[in-house]
Amino acid sequence: MKIIGEKINGTRKKVAAAIAERDATFIRDLARRQAENGADWLDVNAGTHPDREGDDLLWLIELVQEETDVPLCLDSANPRALESAIGKVKETPMVNSISGEPDRLNNILPLVAEHGCGVIALAMDGKKIPDSAGDRMAVVRRIFEATREAGVADDRVYVDPLVMTLATNIESANVTLDAIRAVRAEFPEAHVCLGLSNVSFGLPARALVNRTFLVLATAAGMDTAIVDPGDARLRATLLATEMVLGRDRHCLNFTRAYRQGLLAPGDGPPDKK
Ligand code: THG
């Protein structure tokens, strides 16, 4: 599993305040901690007004890159903000995201093609996420027509089938799992990427719900997750899941993590008393 660290997101209150106050220490700290916890990319989302987003994104990028060499995942729907950000990054970034929306395809895809970026493709084309896996796949097929036409190889595309909360639709995770399997079957070279936390919005014990969904989404074929890399229980669950699915030869990663004390308390040997 590849991990995109989600913490530098201006829709979070603390990050919004840090951006507004130009609190560099707070942002640097988020970057360093996620890098230390093994993030493969760091998502950077300014989440600010479109007039400010470009400048705020550049400020964030500069700070993050002073702290770590982990490549960035530029999280914006704004082609102008993305274009100036792509010019500033040291490592080839991931672009988060395109969708089936013609404006985003026309304005963002050329940047992705030119700079050789990976790109997250949301399985939606308007404001609303399609209800069924079939309707999401119809969008995904149109996106691949466009990425192939632009010369972006399938293995640079990270399809995000999207998940909505179970609190308002009990089938929502099932729809997403069906979409993941359909993407894997139809576009075997492509990746599947998901932000997990929407699944539990409005529910209690969200971390438990997110971890459970992580297991199922991984089994269905998700290979990239947008999560908090500092969530030790989530990482432990991930290590166990990959081993159980046969993706950890000789159980090396799992046993090494155990010896390093990285598996969460309570998941070790049973208490003898
Ligand atoms: N797909 C793609 N990109 C995405 C998402 C996705 N980018 C944004 C988001 N979803 C993933 N990132 C985050 C970042 C932070 C939090 C959740 C998702 C988060 N949420 C806290 C919570 O849920 O309790 C509350 C916010 C806070 O801390 O203030 O931390 O799906 N392609």
Side-chain angles (χ1 to χ4, degrees), residues 32 43 51 70 121 186 199 215:
R32 182 178 35 74
D43 196 74
D51 292 345
V70 174
E186 208 169 316
V199 75
V215 175

Short mmCIF file of all heavy atoms in Angstrom, two decimals, residues 32 43 51 70 121 186 199 215:
data_model
loop_
_atom_site.label_atom_id
_atom_site.label_comp_id
_atom_site.label_asym_id
_atom_site.label_seq_id
_atom_site.Cartn_x
_atom_site.Cartn_y
_atom_site.Cartn_z
N ARG A 32 7.11 16.94 8.59
CA ARG A 32 8.16 16.06 9.10
C ARG A 32 7.56 14.79 9.72
O ARG A 32 8.02 13.68 9.46
CB ARG A 32 9.03 16.80 10.12
CG ARG A 32 10.19 15.97 10.66
CD ARG A 32 11.07 16.75 11.64
NE ARG A 32 10.31 17.68 12.45
CZ ARG A 32 9.52 17.35 13.46
NH1 ARG A 32 9.39 16.09 13.81
NH2 ARG A 32 8.84 18.27 14.13
N ASP A 43 -0.09 15.05 0.83
CA ASP A 43 -1.15 15.86 0.23
C ASP A 43 -0.99 17.29 0.74
O ASP A 43 -0.73 17.52 1.93
CB ASP A 43 -2.53 15.30 0.64
CG ASP A 43 -3.66 15.84 -0.24
OD1 ASP A 43 -3.77 15.39 -1.39
OD2 ASP A 43 -4.43 16.70 0.23
N ASP A 51 -9.09 33.05 -4.86
CA ASP A 51 -8.19 34.21 -5.05
C ASP A 51 -6.88 34.05 -4.30
O ASP A 51 -5.86 34.61 -4.68
CB ASP A 51 -8.86 35.51 -4.56
CG ASP A 51 -10.03 35.89 -5.45
OD1 ASP A 51 -10.13 35.33 -6.56
OD2 ASP A 51 -10.85 36.72 -5.01
N VAL A 70 9.97 13.97 0.49
CA VAL A 70 8.82 13.16 0.08
C VAL A 70 8.03 13.94 -0.97
O VAL A 70 7.75 15.13 -0.78
CB VAL A 70 7.91 12.84 1.29
CG1 VAL A 70 6.64 12.12 0.85
CG2 VAL A 70 8.66 11.99 2.32
N ALA A 121 -7.90 10.49 -10.38
CA ALA A 121 -9.08 10.72 -11.22
C ALA A 121 -10.34 10.36 -10.42
O ALA A 121 -10.57 9.19 -10.10
CB ALA A 121 -9.01 9.88 -12.49
N GLU A 186 -11.16 -3.83 -15.30
CA GLU A 186 -11.21 -3.20 -16.62
C GLU A 186 -9.95 -2.42 -16.95
O GLU A 186 -9.59 -2.26 -18.12
CB GLU A 186 -12.44 -2.28 -16.66
CG GLU A 186 -12.99 -2.10 -18.05
CD GLU A 186 -14.35 -1.40 -18.02
OE1 GLU A 186 -15.21 -1.77 -17.18
OE2 GLU A 186 -14.54 -0.50 -18.85
N VAL A 199 -16.27 7.62 4.80
CA VAL A 199 -17.16 6.48 5.03
C VAL A 199 -17.83 6.55 6.41
O VAL A 199 -18.93 6.04 6.60
CB VAL A 199 -16.39 5.14 4.84
CG1 VAL A 199 -15.47 4.85 6.02
CG2 VAL A 199 -17.35 3.98 4.61
N VAL A 215 -9.54 -2.43 5.35
CA VAL A 215 -9.28 -3.85 5.10
C VAL A 215 -10.04 -4.31 3.86
O VAL A 215 -9.49 -4.95 2.96
CB VAL A 215 -9.71 -4.71 6.32
CG1 VAL A 215 -9.55 -6.20 6.01
CG2 VAL A 215 -8.91 -4.33 7.55
#
